[in-house]
Amino acid sequence: MDSGDSGAVLYLIRGRSGTGKSTLLGAIRARLRARGVTLTDHPAQAPRPGGAETGRPRTALVVDDAHTLGAAEFDLLCAAAESGEYPVVIALRSRPHDARLRGLTDLVARRGRVIDLRALGATEIAPFARELGMMVPRGLGQHIHRQTGGIHGGVVAALTAACATRLDAGVTAVDQAVTAWARTRLDDSDPDLLDALVVAAIGAGLDTGELTEVLDLSPADAQSLVDRARGSALVTDADLLLTPAVAPLRTLVGDRRFLTVARRLLHARLDAGLLRDHTALLLAESGVRDERLAGFLCAAAERAGDEAVRYYASAAAAGADPEGLAVRWADAAARSGDGDTALRLAEPSLANPSIPLADLAVAVRICAGVWTRRGLADRAAQLYTWLGPARVGADWAVAATVLCLAGDVRGAQALSVNAGQWPPTEATSRAASIAHALSDSIGATGTPAAQRPGATHNGASGTFGGHNGNEQNAPARTYGNGQSGAERPAASGAFNTPTARVTAPGGVVRPATSDRTPPANPGVPVRSAAGQPNSFGTVTAPTGFTAEMRAVPPATLAGQRFANPAQARRGAAVSAASALIHAAHSGPAPADDGGDRFLPCSAVSIAVLLCLSMGDPRRAADALRGAAPTPQSLVLGAWVAMLGGDEQSAAALMSEVPVAELDPRDRLLAHGVIVGLARRSGDHAALALAWQQAYPLFDEVGADLLALLPIGELWLAGIRLRDEARMTALVTGADELLRRLGEPPVWSNAFHWYAIQAAIAQESPEALLPHAHRLKTAASAGDPQAAVLADAGRTWVLVLRGQVVRDRVEGAVARLAGLGLRWDAARLASEAALAASDAATATALLKLARTVRAQSRPPEFPVRVPEPAAPQARPEPVTDTVLSEREREVAELVLLGLTYREIGARLYISAKTVEHHVARMRRRIGAGSRSELLSMLRAMGHGSLLV
C-alpha cells in the first residue's frame, strides 16, 4: 500500500472471527485515505470493470465479511477482483465447503496475495501486550493463552482485565473477562450453531456425517454448520470449545437441550461403534446418565492406567453402582497415590456382608497397603489377622509380608496355611518371593530356637526360627479378632497352624491341618511328605503340582550349607537379599509397585534397606541399578551414599526429592537422610532446622523393619539436640519389634550399633550394656557383622576412656569401613587421634581418618548419570518425536514451573505418574539433571504450545 506502485493491488485477508481482520482493514482504510483514495465498502458502488480512468487509481474497494454477501454482490466482487483496475482488499472467514469462497480464494491467489491471520502463540502474548502498552507476568500470559486459544479478541479482553486489577487477583480477573467475552460471542449465534458448539464442548470433534444424524440436518446444512463453527472465535484447531465458553453455552441453551444433544451424540457413537474413551469421559462428566455409557466407562477404566480413577468416577456419575465399583476404584486410587480416596472407598467394603471373598481380600490389601506405606504396619497387620487364613486367598504372601514387617511371625505362619493351593502366576509368585526372602532374612530357615544364641527351647521350631528367651517377655499384641500374639498356639514344624476351615479355589471346605511332627533331630530342617525341606507358605503340597514344581527355596539350601547356626542365618540373609534384588529387577514397571496390583511395599525398598542393615552397601547399590529415578529410589540412593560416606552425592540426590509429597514411611526415610547429613556436617543450625522439619512426623508413624535405620539416625540427632524424648516411642517400638522377632542379626545389628552410639553420646554405660551384650552374643555365635560392630563399640568405649591402642583402633576402623560405615570409621579414627597420648599415634590416626574419608566414592546406583571419561561432542538436539503425546503435555507444564501435583491436577493423573513421565523423558533425551532436562526441552521447541 505504501510502495507507490501504480498497479492495482489485490489482497484477501482470511481468518477466524476475532483474529483482527476488521482491525487490519481499518488500518488499510486509513492509509488509503491518507493517499487521497476514495473508498467504498459495497461492490455495487465500485467502478465497473473497463470504465476506470487511466493513470493512478483514485478508488479502492475494501470489503469486510465477504462470506456474508448475497449472490449478486459476490459476483460483482469477483468481477472487480478479476479486473485488476483498482485496489481490492477483501476480508472473510474461511469456509472450505463453500464453492463460491473457494473460487474467490483461487482467483486472488493467482492475481494477488492471500493473507492468513492465525491465533497468537503462547510466547507471543507478552510481545502483543507490550504493543498495547501493557505488561503481564509470564505465568499470567500462559494462563491467558490457555483460556483464549490465542484469539486476539479474547486476549485483548483478558489483558485489559489483568492490567486493571491487582497482580494477585489477575487470574480471577482474566477468567471472568474471558467468560464475559465468550458469552458475548455466543449471544450472536443462532440455535443451530449453538448445537454444533455443544458437540465441540463434549470434545467429540465436528464431523459432517455425525452432525447430520445428531442434529437432524441435511448434509449441505451440516457442512455449512461445521464451517461456521470452525470459523468462530470459540472453537480451537482441534475442534474443541474453549473452556471458558462451556458454562455460558450451557446456560444459554439450557441443561435440557445440552444433555439432549449429548445423548444423541452418545447413541450415535455407540451404535456406530465409534465411541472413544475420552469422549465417553467428557459425556459422563457433562452430566449424561446412561447405562451403556456407564458400562463402557467401566470397561475403559480397566485399560486406562494412570487415569483409571477418573474413569471410575465418571462411570459412577453415569449411573454405575458405586458399591460394585468400590474395590476396583479404590485399587486405582491407591496405585495413583491417592491413599485417602482409596481408604474412603475400600473401608466400607470391609463391613459389607455380601461382598465376594475375592473383593474382600482386595479391599483388605488396599487398606493394608495404604496403612503400611503410611508407616502403620501394626494397623495393617490387624486387618490381615482379622481377615484370617480362610479368606486371605492368593494374597497370603502380601499378608505374610505385612505381618513380618510388623513383627508378628506367628501371624504370618497362620495366614500362609493355604499358600500351596494357589497357582504360581506372575503376580503371586513375585509376592511369594518377597515374602520368602523377608522371612528368611528374619531367620526363618528351619533353624530351631534352641540352637540360637541365648534362646531357651520352648517346643516351637517354626520356619521363622522359633522364639527365644527375650521373646517370652515381650508384651502380648492384640489384633482385631481379640487374639494376642502370645496366645497363638506354638507351631511344631514349618508353618504348622491351628486347625482352621479353609476354602479351596474349587469351593471345597476342608480343615487346614498339618500332619507334621517336630523333628527328631533339632538341627535338621523339617521336611514335607515329599522329602523336601519346608519353606515359607508350603504347609501342604500344592494340589495338582508335580514334584519338580515343588522347588526348595535358595535360602533354605543356603542354611543347610553351614553347620554354625549364625553362619547359616547369615547365608540365608544373603540369599534373601539376592532374591529381593531379583524380584526388584524382574518386576513390572513402574517403580516395582506390583504392576497392576497395589502392594504395601516394594521389593527394591526391602532389598536396599536389608543390604544396608547387614552392612553390604554394594549390594544395596545393585538393588537400585536399573530402577527408575522415582522419589523413593532417590531417597534409597541417598541412604546408600550417606552410609557409604559420600555425603555430597547423598545431598545432591535429596535436593531432587519432593519430601512433602512422599508417603509417610518414605518421608521418614527422607528425613532420616536429611538429619543424618546435617549431623555428619557438624552444622548445628542445619541440624536443628532439619530436626524441626522431621519431628512432626514422629507421631504419625510406627516402628517396622523398614523404619529401623531412620529411627536410629533420628535418635542420634535428638540426643545431639537434647530433644531425644520425642523419639522415645519410636525407639521403644523398634526395640520391642526386634525382641518379638527374636533379634534377627541382619536387622538388629545396625539398630544396636545406633543404640551404642546413642549411649556413648549420652555418656550412659547402663544404656550401652544391653545392646553391646546382644552384639557380643551374636558375634560369639559367628555373625561377622556383629563381631565387627561389637569390637568397634568396645574400641570406642576404650578411646573415650583415654585407652588408645593404635593397632586395635586401626583394625576396628578398617573393619567398619569394610561394612560401608566409612563416616563412623573416620570418626572413630579422629576421636582416637584426639585421645592419643603420643604424637606419632595421633598423627597416624589422623592420617587414617583422612584416608578413610578420601576413599568414600559415590556408589553405582542408577539415579546419577556418570560423566563421560573424556570431553565429547554434544549430540544434536533430539527431535520432538521421541516423546509421547502425554510426555509432551507434561514437558509443557514442567517448563511452566508447575509442581508435580499441579501438573497431575491439570492432566488428571497422579503426582507419582508425573514423576514417572519426567524420569522417562530424562532417559530418552539423555539429560543428566533437571536443569539440563529443562534446557533440552526448550531447545526441542517445547514451552510454547497450548496444553
Side-chain angles (χ1 to χ4, degrees):
M1 291 293 178
D2 294 336
S3 65
D5 187 2
S6 60
V9 296
L10 177 60
Y11 286 100
L12 177 65
I13 302 172
R14 185 172 58 179
R16 287 186 290 172
S17 175
T19 53
K21 298 186 301 296
S22 298
T23 303
L24 181 56
L25 286 183
I28 292 174
R29 290 189 182 100
R31 292 295 181 89
L32 290 174
R33 290 193 185 99
R35 295 172 53 189
V37 178
T38 301
L39 302 178
T40 179
D41 296 336
H42 303 286
Q45 300 175 0
R48 293 291 184 269
E53 59 183 72
T54 60
R56 183 179 178 85
R58 308 299 298 173
T59 302
L61 178 61
V62 181
V63 180
D64 196 3
D65 291 334
H67 56 277
T68 63
L69 296 177
E73 287 188 315
F74 193 84
D75 291 341
L76 292 174
L77 176 61
C78 291
E82 191 170 7
S83 69
E85 297 179 358
Y86 50 85
V88 178
V89 183
I90 308 167
L92 52 79
R93 298 181 192 174
S94 177
R95 293 188 176 178
H97 295 104
D98 192 324
R100 298 187 312 159
L101 296 183
R102 290 202 307 270
L104 176 60
T105 303
D106 292 341
L107 171 63
V108 176
R110 291 194 308 269
R111 295 176 174 270
R113 183 179 177 184
V114 178
I115 301 174
D116 286 309
L117 297 183
R118 60 177 180 82
L120 294 170
T123 59
E124 296 172 325
I125 299 294
F128 181 73
R130 287 194 294 270
E131 291 179 3
L132 300 178
M134 305 177 186
M135 295 290 292
V136 293
R138 180 185 177 186
L140 186 58
Q142 299 282 359
H143 180 72
I144 290 174
H145 187 265
R146 287 191 296 270
Q147 295 295 92
T148 64
I151 298 297
H152 293 72
V155 172
V156 171
L159 289 173
T160 303
C163 294
T165 188
R166 303 187 318 272
L167 183 62
D168 59 349
V171 173
T172 302
V174 165
D175 292 344
Q176 293 174 349
V178 175
T179 301
W181 167 76
R183 177 59 188 262
T184 302
R185 293 282 177 174
L186 291 170
D187 287 339
D188 297 333
S189 304
D190 57 76
D192 287 341
L193 180 57
L194 292 177
D195 287 345
L197 295 179
V198 169
V199 176
I202 298 171
L206 296 174
D207 178 75
T208 300
E210 192 169 64
L211 287 185
T212 300
E213 180 180 357
V214 173
L215 301 182
D216 195 18
L217 299 172
S218 66
D221 290 339
Q223 288 179 344
S224 175
L225 195 57
V226 170
D227 286 344
R228 292 169 55 199
R230 289 172 176 169
S232 69
L234 302 178
V235 176
T236 68
D237 293 336
D239 285 347
L240 302 177
L241 189 68
L242 293 176
T243 302
V246 175
L249 174 65
R250 190 158 187 164
T251 301
L252 196 60
V253 303
D255 272 350
R256 177 175 296 181
R257 180 60 182 170
F258 190 97
L259 293 177
T260 298
V261 174
R263 289 192 190 94
R264 288 180 179 177
L265 176 64
L266 169 65
H267 295 155
R269 287 287 179 95
L270 285 173
D271 293 341
L274 298 176
L275 183 61
R276 295 182 301 172
D277 293 352
H278 187 68
T279 302
L281 197 64
L282 294 178
L283 284 167
E285 291 176 344
S286 66
V288 176
R289 291 180 62 86
D290 185 272
E291 182 178 352
R292 290 197 295 169
L293 175 60
F296 182 91
L297 287 169
C298 290
E302 300 295 332
R303 57 180 182 272
D306 298 332
E307 297 189 6
V309 176
R310 185 183 176 193
Y311 277 86
Y312 282 123
S314 298
D321 180 18
E323 289 189 2
L325 295 178
V327 175
R328 289 178 290 167
W329 190 354
D331 187 60
R335 285 187 281 113
S336 69
D338 188 357
D340 292 333
T341 299
L343 288 176
R344 176 176 59 81
L345 293 168
E347 284 191 331
S349 301
L350 302 180
N352 184 357
S354 60
I355 186 174
L357 286 182
D359 286 349
L360 177 63
V362 174
V364 169
R365 172 166 53 79
I366 294 168
C367 295
V370 172
W371 290 126
T372 303
R373 293 186 180 210
R374 291 184 173 182
L376 299 173
D378 276 348
R379 187 175 298 184
Q382 291 176 14
L383 280 176
Y384 273 121
T385 305
W386 167 81
L387 186 65
R391 298 185 296 179
V392 71
D395 281 342
W396 67 268
V398 179
T401 300
V402 169
L403 268 72
C404 286
L405 292 177
D408 186 3
V409 176
R410 293 186 179 182
Q413 294 174 347
L415 289 174
S416 70
V417 65
N418 201 25
Q421 299 176 2
W422 300 98
T425 63
E426 179 181 0
T428 57
S429 296
R430 189 159 166 273
S433 67
I434 296 174
H436 279 293
L438 182 59
S439 67
D440 291 336
S441 73
I442 293 172
T445 59
T447 304
Q451 292 189 359
R452 291 189 178 180
T456 58
H457 184 67
N458 59 2
S461 58
T463 304
F464 285 94
H467 317 282
N468 61 18
N470 293 332
E471 190 176 359
Q472 294 180 5
N473 298 325
R477 308 179 69 217
T478 304
Y479 291 97
N481 62 355
Q483 185 181 25
S484 67
E487 293 170 354
R488 298 182 186 274
S492 58
F495 290 94
N496 291 339
T497 57
T499 300
R501 294 179 63 82
V502 179
T503 303
V508 180
V509 179
R510 61 174 180 266
T513 59
S514 174
D515 57 356
R516 295 178 180 81
T517 57
N521 184 352
V524 178
V526 180
R527 295 179 175 266
S528 65
Q532 299 285 3
N534 280 322
S535 61
F536 188 88
T538 55
V539 176
T540 58
T543 304
F545 288 179
T546 63
E548 290 76 12
M549 299 176 67
R550 294 191 289 265
V552 182
T556 302
L557 295 177
Q560 293 177 340
R561 288 198 298 266
F562 302 97
N564 187 310
Q567 293 178 352
R569 196 181 299 116
R570 183 77 178 184
V574 172
S575 297
S578 297
L580 288 167
I581 294 173
H582 174 75
H585 290 175
S586 62
D592 189 25
D593 63 352
D596 61 345
R597 299 205 310 163
F598 176 69
L599 300 180
C601 56
S602 62
V604 68
S605 62
I606 302 177
V608 171
L609 295 173
L610 170 62
C611 292
L612 291 177
S613 295
M614 61 192 295
D616 197 347
R618 292 186 180 274
R619 296 293 297 279
D622 290 339
L624 284 172
R625 184 174 292 110
T630 62
Q632 184 190 70
S633 67
L634 291 173
V635 172
L636 294 173
W639 268 101
V640 175
M642 182 182 72
L643 293 185
D646 185 16
E647 292 88 3
Q648 185 176 2
S649 293
L653 290 172
M654 289 306 302
S655 67
E656 301 182 29
V657 177
V659 177
E661 299 178 6
L662 296 174
D663 290 327
R665 186 184 60 196
D666 289 339
R667 208 184 316 152
L668 183 70
L669 285 166
H671 282 299
V673 175
I674 295 171
V675 169
L677 291 174
R679 181 174 68 88
R680 286 163 171 77
S681 70
D683 188 339
H684 186 83
L687 180 60
L689 179 60
W691 178 256
Q692 290 173 5
Q693 294 173 345
Y695 67 65
L697 186 64
F698 300 166
D699 296 327
E700 301 179 19
V701 300
D704 60 40
L705 283 179
L706 304 185
L708 294 176
L709 289 178
I711 289 174
E713 282 291 342
L714 293 166
W715 186 11
L716 296 181
I719 293 172
R720 177 77 62 86
L721 296 171
R722 301 182 183 277
D723 196 16
E724 65 270 23
R726 294 183 185 272
M727 289 295 300
T728 301
L730 285 176
V731 172
T732 302
D735 192 58
E736 292 178 353
L737 170 72
L738 294 172
R739 287 175 180 269
R740 287 196 302 269
L741 293 174
E743 297 288 342
V746 294
W747 292 103
S748 63
N749 287 343
F751 181 78
H752 293 318
W753 175 247
Y754 278 119
I756 289 175
Q757 294 185 75
I760 292 174
Q762 291 175 312
E763 300 180 355
S764 174
E766 296 81 7
L768 182 147
L769 289 176
H771 301 282
H773 176 72
R774 293 173 191 172
L775 286 178
K776 180 181 178 182
T777 302
S780 63
D783 187 276
Q785 181 192 17
V788 171
L789 296 178
D791 176 68
R794 286 192 299 270
T795 304
W796 211 311
V797 171
L798 293 175
V799 166
L800 294 178
R801 294 175 180 173
Q803 302 174 18
V804 179
V805 179
R806 177 177 170 179
D807 292 341
R808 182 165 189 169
V809 172
E810 289 177 344
V813 168
R815 287 186 288 272
L816 275 179
L819 290 179
L821 301 175
R822 295 186 178 278
W823 187 85
D824 291 336
R827 182 165 167 251
L828 172 57
S830 61
E831 290 194 7
L834 294 175
S837 57
D838 64 290
T841 300
T843 302
L845 293 177
L846 281 176
K847 182 179 180 180
L848 175 62
R850 288 193 297 268
T851 301
V852 171
R853 293 292 290 152
Q855 289 174 347
S856 299
R857 293 290 184 268
E860 296 180 358
F861 43 81
V863 290
R864 301 289 292 178
V865 178
E867 294 294 333
Q872 298 178 357
R874 187 173 183 85
E876 292 296 324
V878 186
T879 61
D880 187 55
T881 56
V882 301
L883 299 183
S884 66
E885 180 179 356
R886 175 64 81 189
E887 288 169 348
R888 288 195 293 270
E889 293 175 343
V890 173
E892 295 294 330
L893 298 176
V894 167
L895 289 172
L896 295 183
L898 275 64
T899 64
Y900 290 159
R901 191 178 298 277
E902 291 169 341
I903 295 173
R906 182 75 54 79
L907 300 179
Y908 300 99
I909 58 179
S910 69
K912 291 186 177 180
T913 302
V914 176
E915 293 163 0
H916 297 327
H917 285 307
V918 173
R920 282 194 290 268
M921 286 190 290
R922 285 181 59 178
R923 292 198 304 272
R924 287 189 180 187
I925 66 178
S929 64
R930 181 180 176 85
S931 60
E932 186 177 359
L933 172 66
L934 299 180
S935 299
M936 295 179 71
L937 288 176
R938 292 190 183 98
M940 292 165 61
H942 294 287
S944 60
L945 301 178
L946 174 62
V947 178

